[in-house]
Amino acid sequence: MNLLDNKVAVITGAARGIGEATARLFVENGARVVIGDLDQAAAEQAAKEIDPERVRGFGCDVADPDQVNTLLAYAREELGSVDVVVNNAGITRDATLKKMTVDQFDQVIAVHLRGAWLGTQAAAETMRAQGTGGAIINMSSISGKVGFFGQTNYSAAKAGVVGLTKAAAKELAKDGIRVNSIQPGLIATEMTRAMPEHIWEAKMAEIPMGRAGEPEEIAKVALFLASDLSSYMTGTVLEVTGGRLM
Ligand SMILES: NC(=O)c1ccc[n+]([C@@H]2O[C@H](COP(=O)([O-])OP(=O)(O)OC[C@H]3O[C@@H](n4cnc5c(N)ncnc54)[C@H](O)[C@@H]3O)[C@@H](O)[C@H]2O)c1
């Protein structure tokens, strides 16, 4: 018996990085997965590489309500249900408060906060209609707990994701839908590889475990929150940081 047998998961931003690792681990645990990503070609490629039988790639901008609804409808029609939704898509547009443009602020809020809200709303609607409950996982960041220099947009969005998670958890508990969030620390992906060396080193110095995390180490926590192993948990925020900024 696998943890996600007969479950269908929609994971946004899963063409690469943490989302892709999560899609892979979910499939290894019995799920079928729809990858929703802005980069449709990369989503289709990832689906093919993970398991063409059990994974579909679909183009979707999480900031667009119609596209999010279409993604969920596609998953339900193509794979029969939607049992788990992971709102994971993300971007950074770092700049100090002095230099950040309104556009950089809006883009980051749109993808992370509006995107997670749209994904949560669409997931709730679909899961309620099925009447089978479900699990929603919103990807926050430790940046939303402590606030990072040069990330007023991203820290605000990621703190917002926590408020969204808790409020939605209260509204959806009666329908058997659990809503939880993860705050990763420094994880080795394309997003963090773009970082200048001295900033990477400064972050490393804050990590008691002395290393960056791997995408698979976030995926394992997402699997826990998606499965019955966390059946009595909702509205929680799990820090996965190697002890950084605890
Ligand atoms: N890497 C880290 O250290 C770290 C730390 C904390 C939180 N996070 C969060 O984890 C999540 C995944 O991060 P990652 O490091 O794997 O990033 P990544 O850059 O490797 O992957 C992000 C994916 O999201 C997709 N995407 C971007 N905008 C989108 C949109 N509007 N609609 C749909 N898809 C879109 C991209 O195409 C890409 O495939 C993000 O929410 C990020 O903020 C990452």
Side-chain angles (χ1 to χ4, degrees), residues 36 42 51-52 63 66 69 81 84 123 129 142 144 155 178 180 197 231-232 236 241:
D51 185 339
D66 291 340
N69 288 330
S81 65
V84 178
I142 205 69
S155 299
R178 299 182 299 105
N180 291 287
E197 178 82 19
S231 56
Y232 197 50
T236 67
T241 64

Side-chain angles (χ1 to χ4, degrees), residues 125-159:
E125 177 123 352
T126 307
M127 290 168 182
R128 268 201 200 114
Q130 286 170 184
T132 50
I136 300 171
I137 299 156
N138 292 325
M139 205 55 74
S140 176
S141 163
I142 205 69
S143 181
K145 175 186 169 184
V146 301
F148 283 145
F149 190 98
Q151 290 198 322
T152 49
N153 50 1
Y154 185 82
S155 299
K158 291 305 202 185

Side-chain angles (χ1 to χ4, degrees), residues 13 15-19 36-39 60-63 88-91 111-112 139-141 154 158 184-187 189-192:
R16 66 182 199 198
I18 291 169
D37 201 288
L38 194 58
D39 187 340
C60 172
D61 178 353
V62 297
N88 165 79
I91 57 168
V111 176
H112 292 281
M139 205 55 74
S140 176
S141 163
Y154 185 82
K158 291 305 202 185
L186 182 64
I187 309 302
T189 68
E190 299 285 325
M191 186 178 270
T192 48

Side-chain angles (χ1 to χ4, degrees), residues 4 8-28 31-38 43 46 50 54-60 62 71-72 75 79 82-90 119 135 137-139 218-219 222-223 226:
L4 297 181
V8 173
V10 174
I11 309 175
T12 66
R16 66 182 199 198
I18 291 169
E20 187 195 8
T22 303
R24 202 175 285 277
L25 187 63
F26 280 17
V27 168
E28 284 168 16
R32 285 169 301 144
V33 172
V34 175
I35 291 173
D37 201 288
L38 194 58
I50 296 171
R54 306 184 68 82
V55 188
R56 304 276 191 281
F58 199 81
C60 172
V62 297
L71 171 69
L72 274 279
L79 300 178
V82 176
D83 308 291
V84 178
V85 170
V86 185
N87 293 305
N88 165 79
I137 299 156
N138 292 325
M139 205 55 74
I218 304 301
L223 174 64

Side-chain angles (χ1 to χ4, degrees), residues 119-232:
T120 300
Q121 189 186 48
E125 177 123 352
T126 307
M127 290 168 182
R128 268 201 200 114
Q130 286 170 184
T132 50
I136 300 171
I137 299 156
N138 292 325
M139 205 55 74
S140 176
S141 163
I142 205 69
S143 181
K145 175 186 169 184
V146 301
F148 283 145
F149 190 98
Q151 290 198 322
T152 49
N153 50 1
Y154 185 82
S155 299
K158 291 305 202 185
V161 165
V162 171
L164 156 66
T165 298
K166 292 182 178 188
K170 286 180 182 168
E171 288 191 24
L172 301 176
K174 66 177 182 323
D175 298 302
I177 302 167
R178 299 182 299 105
V179 192
N180 291 287
S181 74
I182 301 174
Q183 289 190 327
L186 182 64
I187 309 302
T189 68
E190 299 285 325
M191 186 178 270
T192 48
R193 268 191 274 275
M195 205 179 279
E197 178 82 19
H198 69 283
I199 295 182
W200 177 271
E201 289 306 327
K203 288 180 185 283
M204 286 289 284
E206 295 174 346
I207 306 172
M209 286 179 70
R211 64 174 180 83
E214 296 300 325
E216 293 72 23
E217 294 180 292
I218 304 301
K220 286 190 277 187
V221 178
L223 174 64
F224 168 71
L225 290 175
S227 77
D228 263 358
L229 289 179
S230 59
S231 56
Y232 197 50

